[in-house]
Amino acid sequence: MTSSATKKNDIELVVLDMAGTTVADGGLVEQAFDAAARHLGVEPGTPDHAEKLAHVRATMGESKISVFRQLFGAEEAARRANAVFEKAYGELVDGGLVAPVPGAREAVEALQAAGLTVVLSTGFARVTQDAILAALGWQDLVPLTLCPADAGGRGRPYPDLVLAALLRTGATDAVQRVAVAGDTSYDMLSGRRAGASVVAGVLTGAHDKDQLTAAGATHVLGSVAELPTLLGVTSDGRPA
C-alpha cells in the first residue's frame, strides 16, 4: 500500500516502538510478569494467573504500571508488582536475552541517512529502556528515546509518546508528516490518535495482522526492516 503520504519527502519524523518492533525479546514480558504475579500471590497454573496473563497479552504496548493498576487495583500493590516486573525484566536483559530484530538497526540508520528524525519509544520504565539500549549498544543510535514518564506518565494507547516525540525533536511542523511503527494494537491506536499519516504494524511481536488492522494500521509489514522502502528510502539512505 503506498500513497503520497508515504513518500520520503512527506515524512519527517519516525517514532518506533522497541520490544517486538525493533527489539526481539523472546517473550521476556511474560517471564517477568510471572515473577511479578508470584510476588503478589498469583501462582502459575491458576485461573487467576491465566486471566491476568491474558490481560497482559491483550495490553502489550501499554505502560506497564498502567497494566498493573488494572490487574491489582490498589496503587501500592500495582507499584510493588511493577517494581518486581522491571527488576526481573532487567535481569533477563542483562543475561543477554534481547537482540535487535533483523534489519532494525539498518532501517533506523537508512532513515536517518535520508534526513528523517527517528525516535525510539517504549511502555517500559526508563531504567528498563536504558538497560535494553545498553545491552544492544544502541545508546547513541537515535537522538531521542522516550518512555511514558517522559510524556507526562501516560503511555499507549494515548497519543502522548508520539506527540512528545514531535515536540521534543521539533522535526516537523505537522502531525501528518509523522510515521509510527509498532507490533501491538496499542501502538496503532496511539499513532492514529496522534494524527500520524503512516501507522505501520509489524508482524514480529505481540499482535497479528487482523488485530493491527482492526486497531487502525494504515500498513502491515513483515518487519520494521521494510519501513524504509515504504517511506521511499533505500538501504543506503537514498530516495527509492
Side-chain angles (χ1 to χ4, degrees):
M1 299 170 61
T2 58
S3 70
S4 60
T6 62
K7 291 179 180 177
K8 166 185 169 276
N9 290 336
D10 289 336
I11 297 298
E12 297 176 315
L13 173 64
V14 181
V15 183
L16 301 177
D17 173 52
M18 291 181 63
T21 302
T22 54
V23 180
D25 69 1
L28 299 190
V29 167
E30 293 189 14
Q31 293 183 49
F33 164 74
D34 281 343
R38 285 196 302 271
H39 183 73
L40 270 74
V42 180
E43 291 299 325
T46 64
D48 188 28
H49 183 278
E51 181 180 343
K52 286 180 167 57
L53 179 57
H55 183 78
V56 168
R57 289 170 174 162
T59 57
M60 286 288 190
E62 186 174 358
S63 166
K64 294 300 176 284
I65 183 62
S66 296
V67 173
F68 285 119
R69 286 176 180 136
Q70 295 160 20
L71 290 176
F72 296 107
E75 182 69 14
E76 188 272 336
R79 290 191 176 277
R80 279 197 293 129
N82 191 64
V84 174
F85 173 90
E86 298 287 354
K87 181 175 184 294
Y89 194 96
E91 290 173 349
L92 292 165
V93 168
D94 291 342
L97 297 179
V98 295
V101 166
R105 183 181 186 117
E106 293 81 0
V108 170
E109 291 173 339
L111 291 168
Q112 293 186 132
L116 284 69
T117 298
V118 179
V119 174
L120 294 175
S121 66
T122 185
F124 292 128
R126 168 56 60 182
V127 64
T128 305
Q129 184 177 36
D130 285 347
I132 296 170
L133 293 168
L136 300 179
W138 282 11
Q139 299 96 321
D140 300 316
L141 180 60
V142 297
L144 179 66
T145 63
L146 294 172
C147 67
D150 300 320
R154 295 198 313 182
R156 309 176 190 108
Y158 297 101
D160 302 25
L161 283 167
V162 178
L163 297 177
L166 186 155
L167 293 170
R168 294 273 294 272
T169 64
T172 184
D173 60 3
V175 292
Q176 294 87 351
R177 294 181 180 271
V178 178
V180 172
D183 67 298
T184 72
S185 298
Y186 279 17
D187 291 305
M188 304 300 97
L189 289 168
S190 177
R192 293 304 294 261
R193 291 170 178 176
S197 63
V198 175
V199 182
V202 298
L203 300 175
T204 50
H207 293 161
D208 62 23
K209 181 177 181 179
D210 288 344
Q211 290 170 299
L212 296 168
T213 301
T218 60
H219 305 77
V220 176
L221 309 176
S223 84
V224 72
E226 300 172 18
L227 186 62
T229 299
L230 175 66
L231 300 183
V233 175
T234 64
S235 60
D236 59 1
R238 294 181 295 106

